[in-house]
Amino acid sequence: MKNCFFEDCVACKTRSNSVFAALSGDNLQDLSNNRVCYKVDKGDYVFKEGTYPTGLYCVHQGKLKVVHMGVDGKEKIVHMVRNGNVMGYRAVLSGEKLSCSAVALEDSQLCFIPKNVFLALLEKSHKLALEVLHMVSTELRQAEKTITDLSSLPAKQRIAQALILLKERFGFAEDGKTLAVSLSREELANLAGTTRETVIRVLTAFDNLKIIELQAKKIKVLQLKKLIEAADVTG
C-alpha cells in the first residue's frame, strides 16, 4: 500500500455513504486528523485473515472483496465492498483475530482509522455507535440469508442472485447494461457458493437465452427482468 492524502473528512463526499456520516464537529475533525490514507493496487491484500487488527479501513474509492478461506482450502467471498464501506471493524470491536482477508478488485483508495481512535469516537458519539450497531445487524441478517440460500437454493438461482447483488452493489457502467465490476468465473463461483464449471455452464445458458451477454470478464445484462425472475429474489 502506498501512503497518499485525500481531502479533509469534512469535505469528503464518500463519507455520506459511510457510518462516519454520523460524526460532526470536533469528533469529525478528530477522525480527519488521525486517519491515514492509502492507495492499493488491484490484487493487493489490505489485511489478512488470522492477524490482529490495528484499526479499520473506510473505502474512499474502489471495489474490494472480503474473503474467508474454507476448511477445504477454497476461498469464499463474504462481502463485496464499495465506496463508503468499512472493513475490519468487527475484529476491532471483539479484540479477536481477523476472520477474513480483504483484496482489491481494482486500484482503490482507502482511509485507515487506528483502533484507539475508532473506539474513542464510539464512546463520544452515540450516533456513530448506533450506526455501527445497525451495520452489524444488517451484516448478520445477510449472513443468515446466505447460509440458508447455500443449503437450499439450486446453483442456477444462486448465480442469478449473485449477478443481481453485483448490480445492486456496484451498478452499471456508462452503457447502462454492463456490470460495473469485473470478476473471474472462479470469483463468481466463490460468491455464489458453487463451482467454476457450474458458473460457466449457467452463464452460457443465460447468454444463449439472451438474458446476458458475456464479454470476457465483463457481463452485460440484456434482460434485467428475466434475470430477476431467474434469481427469484422475492421467493
Side-chain angles (χ1 to χ4, degrees), residues 115-183:
K115 178 179 179 178
N116 64 315
V117 174
F118 177 60
L119 294 179
L121 287 171
L122 283 178
E123 289 185 4
K124 291 186 287 186
S125 173
H126 292 162
K127 287 185 178 180
L128 177 61
L130 287 173
E131 285 297 322
V132 171
L133 281 173
H134 177 73
M135 183 168 58
V136 171
S137 63
T138 298
E139 290 190 1
L140 178 59
R141 184 179 69 252
Q142 291 172 343
E144 290 171 341
K145 182 180 183 302
T146 298
I147 292 171
T148 302
D149 289 350
L150 289 177
S151 63
S152 61
L153 297 182
K156 178 181 177 181
Q157 188 173 340
R158 297 202 307 270
I159 292 167
Q161 287 186 355
L163 295 177
I164 296 297
L165 170 66
L166 294 176
K167 179 262 179 185
E168 293 176 346
R169 199 71 175 157
F170 301 113
F172 290 128
E174 292 181 1
D175 65 0
K177 292 184 177 181
T178 303
L179 295 175
V181 61
S182 297
L183 295 184

Side-chain angles (χ1 to χ4, degrees), residues 1 18-20 23 31 34-38 46-47 52-60 81 84-94 98 102 109-122 128 132 135-136 139:
M1 295 192 292
S18 80
V19 293
F20 296 112
L23 294 178
L31 176 68
N34 290 285
R35 55 158 190 173
V36 180
C37 305
Y38 293 104
V46 178
F47 54 78
Y52 282 103
T54 56
L56 66 154
Y57 295 85
C58 183
V59 181
H60 181 70
V81 184
N85 291 161
V86 296
M87 305 180 297
Y89 73 94
R90 290 198 305 276
V92 168
L93 293 173
S94 67
L98 289 155
Q109 301 173 358
L110 310 173
C111 291
F112 173 77
I113 299 96
K115 178 179 179 178
N116 64 315
V117 174
F118 177 60
L119 294 179
L121 287 171
L122 283 178
L128 177 61
V132 171
M135 183 168 58
V136 171
E139 290 190 1

